[in-house]
Amino acid sequence: MLHRMPVVFVSHGAPDALLNAPDAVSCWRELGQQIPQPEAILVISAHWEAQRPTASLANPPVTIHDFSGFPPALYRMQYSAPGAPALAERAVSLLSAAGLVSELHPSRGLDHGAWAPLSAMYPQANIPITQLSLVHNASAAAHVALGRALVPLRDEGVLILASGAITHNFGWLDIHAQADAAPLPEAQQFTDWVAKRVAAQDVDGLLAYRSAPHGADAHPSEEHFLPFFVALGAANGDIPLRFRPRFTYGALAMDAYLWQGVEQGF
C-alpha cells in the first residue's frame, strides 16, 4: 500500500513573513509535521510565470531574493535543498501527455514564494525540490487543468505545494497594522467566501470568483491566486482542510489548505 500524497496551498504573505508572521510560520511548521515525508516536492509559486508551463532542472536550485527594501536578515537567508531534475522532466512529460506544451529551464532557482514556507515546513532542506511556473495570461480554468495533469505525481511520493495568496491587493494593506488588529472587512468577506466554496468543493464557483463579494478587488491581478487553482486541480476531489493564521498587514489573508490523500493499492 502506498499513500497518495496530499496537495497543499499556502498564502505566503509578504517577503518578511518568516520574520513578522509567527502565526503563518507556525501553520507551515504544522503542515510539514502532518504530511507524510515526501520523496520530492514540486512547487508552483505566484512569483514565476512563463509563456508555457516550465519546470526547472536546477540542481541545486539557488535561493532567489526577489524583493527589495526589507531587513538585511532576509537577504542572508538561504534554502539549500537539492534539486529534483528527474521530477522536472516527469512533470513536463505529464503535462505534454495532457496536451499542454511544456518545457524545461536549466537553472531557475527558488523564489521567496517557495523558500519562505519551505523553510518552516522542512527546515532541514533535505528533500529534493523543483519549481514549475504558472502560465502567463492563462485563465484560472487552464491552471485547474494543469493541476489535474499532475495528479499522478501524488502516487509517486511527490508533494505538490502551491504558494500564492487568498487576497492580494496592495491598496488594502496597512503596513502599521498590529498583529491582533481586525482585518479589513472586505478581505475577511472574500476569504470566508473562498473557504465556503472550497468546503463545498465548488470548483465552478471558485472559477467565477471575480463575481464574488469583493472578488475582483481581492485580486487586481490574478497571478497570486492562480497557484490556488493548480492546487484545486491536483486535489482531484480530495477533502479540504483549512488553516487560518492571522491576517498580516491588515488585509493579507494567510489561509492555507490541505487536501488529504487516500491510500492506493498496487
Side-chain angles (χ1 to χ4, degrees):
M1 300 292 289
L2 294 179
H3 190 85
R4 171 168 281 187
M5 290 297 295
V7 175
V8 175
F9 169 82
V10 297
S11 299
H12 60 247
D16 62 353
L18 285 170
L19 302 176
N20 295 324
D23 269 15
V25 173
S26 293
C27 170
W28 299 340
R29 288 196 187 109
E30 182 180 351
L31 284 165
Q33 292 163 1
Q34 285 196 21
I35 295 167
Q37 183 83 353
E39 296 291 327
I41 302 172
L42 180 70
V43 184
I44 301 94
S45 165
H47 291 275
W48 186 19
E49 294 180 278
Q51 294 303 313
R52 55 186 59 87
T54 304
S56 176
L57 293 170
N59 191 17
V62 299
T63 303
I64 304 172
H65 299 89
D66 51 337
F67 43 77
S68 60
F70 287 91
L74 208 56
Y75 299 91
R76 292 194 293 268
M77 290 182 180
Q78 298 289 319
Y79 192 73
S80 302
L87 173 56
E89 292 175 344
R90 173 67 172 143
V92 164
S93 174
L94 287 170
L95 293 169
S96 297
L100 302 172
V101 178
S102 309
E103 62 184 48
L104 295 162
H105 191 289
S107 59
R108 191 7 165 106
L110 302 176
D111 59 58
H112 77 271
W115 62 259
L118 285 168
S119 294
M121 292 176 70
Y122 301 107
Q124 293 182 334
N126 58 355
I127 301 172
I129 297 168
T130 188
Q131 267 197 243
L132 175 70
S133 75
L134 299 173
V135 183
H136 184 62
N137 286 334
S139 67
H143 284 86
V144 170
L146 188 157
R148 285 178 176 152
L150 298 172
V151 170
L153 294 177
R154 299 177 57 195
D155 295 327
E156 300 169 15
V158 175
L159 172 64
I160 297 174
L161 173 63
S163 176
I166 295 295
T167 60
H168 196 257
N169 183 334
F170 289 162
W172 281 0
L173 303 189
D174 177 1
I175 62 171
H176 302 295
Q178 298 297 312
D180 59 352
L184 185 76
E186 294 93 327
Q188 183 71 74
Q189 289 168 27
F190 179 72
T191 301
D192 290 343
W193 177 89
V194 170
K196 289 176 182 177
R197 300 274 61 77
V198 173
Q201 297 181 291
D202 181 8
V203 175
D204 289 340
L206 287 161
L207 287 170
Y209 78 91
R210 297 190 74 81
S211 299
H214 312 295
D217 290 334
H219 291 281
S221 60
E222 202 167 30
E223 78 289 333
H224 269 75
F225 207 23
L226 291 178
F228 175 82
F229 289 101
V230 178
L232 275 181
N236 200 35
D238 280 349
I239 303 301
L241 178 64
R242 180 189 185 191
F243 294 76
R244 302 179 63 181
R246 291 181 184 273
F247 279 69
T248 57
Y249 293 111
L252 273 178
M254 300 301 291
D255 282 25
Y257 287 93
L258 170 66
W259 289 268
Q260 298 281 15
V262 296
E263 287 188 348
Q264 303 291 313
F266 292 92

